[in-house]
Amino acid sequence: MKQGVAITGLGCLSGAGMNLAESMQSLFRNQRNPQPPQRFSTDHPVSYPVLELRDGLELPLDMCETIHARTSQLALAATLEALDDACWDVASLRGKRVGVCIGTTVGCALNCDDFYRAYKTDGDPGLATIERYLRSNPAALIARQLQLDGPNQTVVNACSSGTDAIGIAAAWLRAGVCDIAIAGGADELARVTYAGFSSLMITDTEPCKPFDLHRKGLNLGEGAGMLILESEAVRDGKKARGYLLGYGSACDAYHLTAPHPDGAGLKQALREAFAAAQVTPEQIAFVNAHGTGTPDNDRVESRVLHEVLPGVPFVSTKGYTGHTLGAAGAIEAVFTLACLQRGELPANIGFSTPDPELPATPLRENSRVEGDVALSESLAFGGNNAVLILAKGDG
Amino acid sequence: MDIKQKLKQVLIEELNLEDVTPEEIGDEEPLFGEGLGLDSLDAVELVVVVQKHFGVEIKDMEEGRPALQTISTLAAFIEAKQQG
Amino acid sequence: MRMAILGIGICCGCGNGVEALRSALQTGRVAPQEVCLERNGEADRFPTYRSSVEELSEFIPKRALRRIDHFSRMTLLGACLALKDADLLEADRSRTGVVIATGYGTLKTTFDFLDSYLDFGYACSSPTHFSNSVHNAAAAHVSMQFKATAPSLTVTQFEMSVASALLTAQLWLAEGRVDRVLFGAIDEYCEVLRYCRQQFFTDGEQGPIQPFSFDQQSAVVGEGAVFLVLTKAQEYAPYGYIDSVRLGNHLVNAVELPQDDMLIVGADGHKECGRYYAQLLKGREATAYAPLFGSFPTAAGFDLAVAALSLADRTRYPNPAVNGCANDAAEAAGRQFSDEKISCLKFGPGGDYGLIRLSL
């Protein structure tokens, strides 16, 4: 096993909770609260439940004035929690080489439908929403807001963006491009993604049921997850929350929206991650699966897990958070590390009836974790697959 | 124009099947796989096409799958819904 | 770690392919295309640099393109031309990574998707437009078309997209994750973009682009795709090497420009970024090629292609003519050199910068 890149701070928020502690409470109490979207409306004949943040966002006042796009607000909230967890105050980051790598989907898309509606009706809409979009690129904005000098990157690999962003940031640290990295993902719920996912007919009209026989699709969610990565020189003996041992990614090169039926890309990403981490599948204590609750995703994932990681317990936490798209991989990496530390895994909420087509089934109840290494995986549009192998921290 | 004829036309238009003419699409030819060569993304697009051009809703793929086999099955589905 | 440039693919307002770019550099002139839009009963005439993608059917059957939008077609054409240039069209690409930089992502399809539900109701939201509007759709089409099963990455952050994405491409090669990277930079024109730019800049969008009039808005909207085939430094590098990629913020920590390098700046008639170039150059000699392909965020990728071509031709191409004036384009053949380094510098409006160094 390699030593890996130290992770010294974690932060996350989603429909499961406004911070990591609250989220863990929901997970282990097996609570979730999907409901029809409150922040926007559509004339869609069917209403699909989503997981929105429970409470309003609270950000430092000086930052509220300059950050208006919700995705960036989510990214900032998780970043501040993670920095605090890593015992960094913003001022002491100045003068250090700090990279920012953030995955998103909505945070980068020119989906300004109110503006566009006015434009279409031959109005002359003002450019306030466009200006907000131009100011709100998540990685660029976090770097600018915290006045950081270093590389920054906004990754738009659809639903694996958060996982990829963490893997990429770790490579920056190994190469010495920066000494500290803020890495993760953020995505807000938006009418556009809501309309898009329902048009693909992969959203469930009920709370989602990952890996269940009766699964009909996903519930959308929103949120952000952030990790602080530090070089050994900067960390200087500080306790780590965990370590990133390995990252792997591969493309199915098969179809724009459907996963490869045999999970070719996922298996290749797993192989790369195992090789990079220098661990074997037997060493994996559990898997935080992508488990969106769509028929195709869960079938492919279950088959690959059965083949590559037979008998290893796995759970999808998307029942608690919904599918937070570009944030998903990051939130799940945060959960993976927190569960390793806690020594316990939550039940895969929504699963009750096994599907005979699925050779591997997820955890039905909260369970103890046996081991120090775990794996988190993401499958995305465009055939992207990304895998992180994470190890428990220093107690 | 009968439903089958209209279906073939809107299929070509909406799915950008530039290299096919309506006459070349057989009523019983499978729409997916070996036949016309459509795929899962076309299937959900077809649901929208049917809604948009015929005012007929396909609720989910359980309902959609048997209807989306051939031009004939789809036309029959639309007809039944329009009369119902 | 150095990266060798094995091939270049170009699809932009100056034409398609390396020869089109070379010819544009030699003549120093590319005429923008005039577009006329009707809006609110008024005709809006303005110059653009647009790309033609008809050539794509030489590489990919029409049927395979039926769901692929203009953005992804430019992407695919750029990628095909780069692989052809590198003589790798038939090569095994299972260890070729795909890295795409785009300032805005696909615009037209994003609005086509909004059209589908704004015009016909949410129940008619088009799944095809939605899937193609996702920012990594173009990368997915490239991976599918070329059976590139190695890692794929799309980066979207306006002017910094190119430098940022290139940094990760470099690390993939350095860590041996891939043997080659198909690196592309793409942005597209659409009518809504014209509306926004006109609202922001009014007459400052009428051109001609005067890159070195830093305090003047003189942009012309452009679009295009440029691809580089990259590999770990080796003996054979027909277009030289990319030595280093640096990103940072000039306002936090001032850029240190390499002393003796030839400089290519991404100045493209945007006043907001112009001031940083003015501050930094202080009269130092530099070239800017935006008048050959237009103003758009990932034009920084075209600067890289120009640098690579300059290295291959051992020629410092002059600044393009402005206003039909000869400028220093008088030295049409350009100045020859034997052993130079080239730095490409691009600023964003917030002072963020990308600095990429190339050499033979």
Side-chain angles (χ1 to χ4, degrees):
Chain A
M1 198 191 298
K2 279 208 316 198
Q3 146 94 44
V5 174
I7 298 159
T8 55
L10 304 175
C12 76
L13 69 168
S14 69
M18 295 301 290
N19 52 46
L20 177 55
E22 257 185 59
S23 310
M24 293 301 277
Q25 211 168 56
S26 302
L27 263 59
F28 286 98
R29 287 182 184 166
N30 306 134
Q31 288 168 340
R32 60 168 162 177
N33 186 30
Q35 51 177 327
Q38 309 293 310
R39 299 188 55 252
F40 57 83
S41 61
T42 73
D43 67 2
H44 207 284
V46 189
S47 174
Y48 300 96
V50 298
L51 285 117
E52 291 177 317
L53 293 193
R54 294 173 188 170
D55 304 315
L57 267 170
E58 280 178 28
L59 290 170
L61 266 181
D62 57 323
M63 297 187 180
C64 294
E65 280 165 23
T66 45
I67 302 181
H68 302 290
R70 187 167 171 86
T71 296
S72 297
Q73 292 175 345
L74 297 168
L76 184 67
T79 299
L80 294 176
E81 184 191 353
L83 283 173
D84 190 51
D85 190 42
C87 302
W88 281 107
D89 61 71
V90 172
S92 50
L93 288 176
R94 311 237 164 95
K96 300 221 160 22
R97 296 187 307 155
V98 187
V100 183
C101 195
I102 297 178
T104 190
T105 63
V106 177
C108 269
L110 199 45
N111 288 331
C112 313
D113 62 356
D114 289 333
F115 162 83
Y116 185 60
R117 195 191 306 260
Y119 168 85
K120 268 170 75 79
T121 47
D122 275 348
D124 287 323
L127 298 183
T129 46
I130 304 294
E131 282 177 331
R132 186 177 64 195
Y133 159 77
L134 291 172
R135 274 199 312 267
S136 302
N137 187 271
L141 185 137
I142 296 287
R144 199 164 62 234
Q145 188 69 42
L146 306 182
Q147 293 181 43
L148 305 174
D149 184 40
N152 56 72
Q153 185 159 109
T154 297
V155 174
V156 285
N157 275 6
C159 307
S160 67
S161 302
T163 305
D164 286 313
I166 296 165
I168 288 167
W172 290 357
L173 279 167
R174 282 195 297 271
V177 178
C178 58
D179 300 312
I180 301 169
I182 297 167
D187 247 319
E188 71 196 83
L189 258 171
R191 191 154 44 207
V192 175
T193 36
Y194 182 84
F197 277 90
S198 39
S199 78
L200 286 161
M201 302 185 98
I202 50 171
T203 42
D204 201 328
T205 51
E206 290 171 27
C208 67
K209 307 172 199 66
F211 300 107
D212 188 89
L213 172 64
H214 304 295
R215 67 188 184 282
K216 289 262 170 59
L218 53 84
N219 300 148
L220 283 171
E222 64 177 349
M226 289 293 163
L227 290 75
I228 307 300
L229 278 51
E230 290 185 36
S231 71
E232 287 310 305
V234 166
R235 181 163 79 106
D236 195 23
K238 181 173 27 172
K239 269 189 183 175
R241 276 282 213 164
Y243 296 90
L244 175 57
L245 302 183
Y247 159 62
S249 69
C251 187
D252 284 343
Y254 171 74
H255 191 266
L256 189 57
T257 52
H260 189 283
D262 302 326
L266 179 57
K267 285 189 231 172
Q268 194 183 321
L270 283 162
R271 276 196 297 275
E272 191 192 8
F274 281 124
Q278 296 170 13
V279 300
T280 59
E282 294 73 37
Q283 287 173 274
I284 301 296
F286 69 88
V287 175
N288 188 315
H290 189 56
T292 52
T294 64
D296 280 353
N297 176 85
D298 292 4
R299 186 186 322 109
V300 170
E301 215 182 345
S302 168
R303 285 179 183 169
V304 170
L305 286 172
H306 178 70
E307 186 184 324
V308 180
L309 291 148
V312 175
F314 68 93
V315 55
S316 160
T317 46
K318 289 207 172 56
Y320 302 99
T321 59
H323 190 355
T324 57
L325 308 180
I331 293 174
E332 286 153 24
V334 169
F335 287 167
T336 303
L337 287 161
C339 289
L340 274 171
Q341 203 155 28
R342 184 178 167 122
E344 200 185 359
L345 266 180
N348 184 111
I349 197 165
F351 174 78
S352 58
T353 316
D355 178 345
E357 274 194 46
L358 267 49
T361 52
L363 283 180
R364 289 163 186 267
E365 285 164 8
N366 296 356
S367 314
R368 273 175 56 86
V369 171
E370 311 285 348
D372 297 332
V373 183
L375 185 150
S376 182
E377 63 186 25
S378 301
L379 287 75
F381 258 31
N384 282 345
N385 302 271
V387 172
L388 296 173
I389 296 180
L390 299 153
K392 191 174 167 177
D394 313 322
Chain B
M1 192 190 324
D2 81 330
I3 293 182
K4 287 181 190 166
Q5 195 58 26
K6 186 174 168 192
L7 255 178
K8 289 176 189 176
Q9 272 186 13
V10 294
L11 221 74
I12 289 170
E13 256 167 57
E14 298 271 2
L15 304 182
N16 271 333
L17 300 167
E18 289 171 27
D19 53 346
V20 188
T21 63
E23 293 71 40
E24 285 168 342
I25 304 177
D27 290 356
E28 310 302 331
E29 185 186 356
L31 296 174
F32 296 89
E34 283 305 298
L36 199 53
L38 304 185
D39 66 8
S40 58
L41 184 51
D42 293 309
V44 279
E45 191 66 42
L46 265 178
V47 171
V48 173
V49 168
V50 168
Q51 170 83 44
K52 201 161 112 184
H53 293 273
F54 299 91
V56 166
E57 187 200 0
I58 299 176
K59 270 205 318 290
D60 52 30
M61 273 303 156
E62 249 165 73
E63 185 177 49
R65 207 159 289 120
L68 295 170
Q69 293 300 313
T70 62
I71 290 288
S72 284
T73 59
L74 190 51
F77 177 84
I78 292 171
E79 218 158 3
K81 281 270 184 171
Q82 282 176 336
Q83 284 163 2
Chain C
M1 186 215 69
R2 299 181 93 193
M3 291 183 275
I5 303 170
L6 300 182
I8 299 177
I10 297 273
C11 163
C12 71
C14 76
N16 298 337
V18 176
E19 269 319 307
L21 180 63
R22 183 179 277 128
S23 150
L25 286 165
Q26 282 166 353
T27 60
R29 240 177 226 115
V30 173
Q33 223 181 304
E34 191 183 68
V35 170
C36 182
L37 291 180
E38 283 277 332
R39 192 165 161 76
N40 296 344
E42 280 172 41
D44 172 24
R45 286 174 200 282
F46 56 96
T48 61
Y49 293 89
R50 306 284 293 279
S51 302
S52 158
V53 291
E54 273 159 42
E55 210 181 322
L56 187 55
S57 53
E58 285 173 28
F59 298 95
I60 300 172
K62 248 188 157 171
R63 183 66 184 263
L65 293 172
R66 74 185 166 93
R67 277 198 307 231
I68 297 182
D69 63 13
H70 181 66
F71 183 92
S72 288
R73 286 181 192 210
M74 288 193 293
T75 306
L76 283 168
L77 181 54
C80 287
L81 292 169
L83 286 170
K84 188 179 169 191
D85 190 44
D87 205 15
L88 289 170
L89 265 178
E90 306 301 327
D92 170 56
R93 283 173 297 250
S94 57
R95 285 188 49 83
T96 299
V98 176
V99 175
I100 303 281
T102 170
Y104 303 128
T106 168
L107 291 176
K108 174 80 169 49
T109 302
T110 298
F111 294 117
D112 283 347
F113 176 64
L114 299 186
D115 280 336
S116 71
Y117 71 72
L118 293 176
D119 293 349
F120 302 100
Y122 286 91
C124 291
S125 304
S126 162
T128 307
H129 286 325
F130 178 67
S131 325
N132 277 295
S133 76
V134 176
H135 276 30
N136 68 334
H141 288 305
V142 170
S143 294
M144 282 188 277
Q145 194 57 45
F146 299 119
K147 296 278 163 276
T149 49
S152 163
L153 170 71
T154 303
V155 171
T156 300
Q157 56 190 116
F158 310 128
E159 290 79 5
M160 291 305 107
S161 309
V162 168
S164 183
L166 194 61
L167 178 68
T168 298
Q170 185 188 30
L171 295 185
W172 284 5
L173 288 166
E175 293 196 331
R177 297 193 67 203
V178 295
D179 295 335
R180 282 191 286 266
V181 171
L182 201 44
F183 177 83
I186 305 97
D187 267 309
E188 78 173 334
Y189 159 84
C190 82
E191 289 182 15
V192 187
L193 180 67
R194 161 63 186 166
Y195 172 80
C196 296
R197 292 178 65 136
Q198 192 191 20
Q199 296 286 311
F200 277 126
F201 308 121
T202 59
D203 287 347
E205 281 287 294
Q206 290 296 339
I209 301 174
Q210 300 177 52
F212 293 98
S213 302
F214 294 125
D215 53 356
Q216 221 180 325
Q217 179 73 25
S218 66
V220 174
V221 63
E223 67 169 10
V226 54
F227 270 78
L228 303 177
V229 183
L230 302 171
T231 185
K232 218 169 177 164
Q234 54 183 28
E235 275 175 27
Y236 174 69
Y239 296 100
Y241 301 88
I242 295 175
D243 294 327
S244 66
V245 183
R246 210 188 131 77
L247 285 101
N249 192 308
H250 181 59
L251 301 177
V252 177
N253 208 348
V255 187
E256 281 173 43
L257 281 183
Q259 278 304 316
D260 303 318
D261 289 17
M262 280 168 43
L263 269 186
I264 295 178
V265 294
D268 61 358
H270 279 296
K271 204 163 70 176
E272 223 183 334
C273 305
R275 57 192 162 130
Y276 301 113
Y277 297 111
Q279 263 177 34
L280 205 61
L281 290 180
K282 293 194 197 94
R284 180 171 164 180
E285 195 186 2
T287 46
Y289 299 99
L292 302 181
F293 32 75
S295 321
F296 52 101
T298 50
F302 285 84
D303 290 345
L304 271 182
V306 171
L309 196 55
S310 304
L311 289 172
D313 296 348
R314 293 178 174 53
T315 299
R316 175 173 200 167
Y317 288 103
N319 273 307
V322 173
N323 267 338
C325 297
N327 211 8
D328 53 343
E331 356 162 24
R335 262 180 285 154
Q336 299 289 310
F337 63 81
S338 55
D339 181 28
E340 287 268 14
K341 286 186 187 295
I342 303 180
S343 278
C344 294
L345 174 70
K346 179 79 181 173
F347 272 114
D352 31 357
Y353 71 87
L355 184 66
I356 301 163
R357 288 188 88 186
L358 301 92
S359 66
L360 276 170

